[in-house]
Amino acid sequence: MLDQGAPPQQRTPRATGLGARLMRRKPVERLVAEGGQGEGGALRRSLGLWQLTMISIGATLGTGIFVVLGEAVPKAGPAVTLSFVIAGLTALFSALSYAELAGTIPVAGSSYSYAYATMGELIAWICGWCLVLEYGVSVAAVAVGWGEYLNELLDGTIGVTIPDALSAPPGDGGVFNLPALIVVLLAMAFLLGGARESARANTVMVVVKMAALVLFCAIGVQGFRSGNYEHFMPLGMAGVSAAGATLFFSYIGFDAASTAGEEAKNAQRDLPRAIMLSLVIVTALYVLVAAVAVGAKPWQHFNDSEATLAQIMREVTGQSFWGTLLAFCAVIAIASVVLTVLYGQTRILFAMSRDGLVPKVFARVHPKTGAPRANTVIVSLFCGVLAAAIPLGQLADATSIGTLFAFALVNIAVVVLRRTRPDMPRTFRVPLSPFFPALGFAFCVWMMGSLSTVTWVVFGVWMAVGLVFYFVYGHRRSRLATPES
């Protein structure tokens, strides 16, 4: 039985058996036709190539350098630079697949929507549930690091810091991380104003963060000591891969750009370009800054402080001014990561809600701003509380496993769509397919295997909760399951 109210290419066969219902796919034409449509309003197409690239860089650049470097170096030693390269290569192969699918299916759902069109509803739900983990936890993880740099800034300017009880989560010597909550709420305020206004604010913050990292390299290289690289891989390849897996969550920015598919002026042309351009810029800066940081400070002296770069600036110059200046730039830079990743999270839930898999409240769009306001408030409050209550290291690893799983599915999706819809117009094509997508899939699986047992347990519990929710709620309320759809 077919949907009768849709054009032939958009009609979905009615699945009768359980297996068939779990594998029901949403036609690409229908996904694209529904682009921007929400409950009570529509998203606005206001973003060009520049804004999309800045969203991608904004969501990526800063997290791994400003926040997690202090945790990654003790795992890999000076070879942390190699960890960044490996994580970047893993991201590159997946980014190629994202670029092709973003140009072919330019919608807000990102890899969730790609999986829905190629592998069926159950796989799409699993992918979307991973994205909720990836984005939501990433916002929280970055917000934790923002508080560290805020304390550095306050200490360097007015000589006071926020007490540990109010600037660290339980388990890290605190009670409640108030700065982490504040930065999420500030990002929420920008997003409520609409995509165009948020993109403008993000562009300013991205320029500041890039200038800050260039400044760090210019000053940090003065303290460079070649002896810091004598024992390049003290913890072996296992340490390199472990650090790379932790750092991988720093590369989800191009995924955030793909969630803007329904608010881009020319999504099919601009999304692939923005994804590839941003990844090249970000990887180059990551490797350069990591190389300077390890050269300026012995790897054994790195600690768990999230304000690592500001400390190095202060140690190299012997003056507090440069560290304070970098802390100021980092406060702005990390805020842009929170803003853009939070944006991506709301758009993923928007797409899932429109398909009926999560409550309709997430698809409601304000008619004046074109923003999903209720969605933004709910997600922001959840991420803010998460940031205030959970330590950074646990958050970073949970984000990495969700990201890697979603990316692995995207590499499969691009091959499936090539086989099932070979004649579809594509503005970008993955070279050497299916070889490159297979490499991307293999890299993702390898890096997932480098994560800790605890992280896998958390991931397993998260997946179990998601499957329960799907079978209790989403499976029955899916728009593909209802006659009026």
Side-chain angles (χ1 to χ4, degrees), residues 72 75-76 79-80 82-88 90 238-251 400 404 447 450-451:
K75 294 180 180 180
V80 71
L82 183 57
S83 299
F84 272 114
V85 172
I86 291 174
T90 304
V240 173
S241 61
T246 296
L247 291 169
F248 188 79
F249 95 111
S250 308
Y251 285 91
S400 290
L404 288 163
M447 295 191 74
S450 299
L451 293 169

Side-chain angles (χ1 to χ4, degrees), residues 204-229:
V204 173
M205 290 188 280
V206 168
V207 171
V208 170
K209 81 165 76 178
M210 293 179 71
L213 292 176
V214 171
L215 174 65
F216 170 81
C217 291
I219 293 178
V221 74
Q222 298 175 29
F224 192 92
R225 300 290 182 271
S226 59
N228 291 341
Y229 279 92

Side-chain angles (χ1 to χ4, degrees), residues 265-288:
K265 295 176 183 178
N266 190 338
Q268 290 181 309
R269 181 195 68 188
D270 293 339
L271 280 177
R273 295 178 181 180
I275 288 170
M276 299 311 300
L277 181 60
S278 62
L279 185 62
V280 170
I281 293 172
V282 165
T283 302
L285 278 172
Y286 273 165
V287 173
L288 179 61

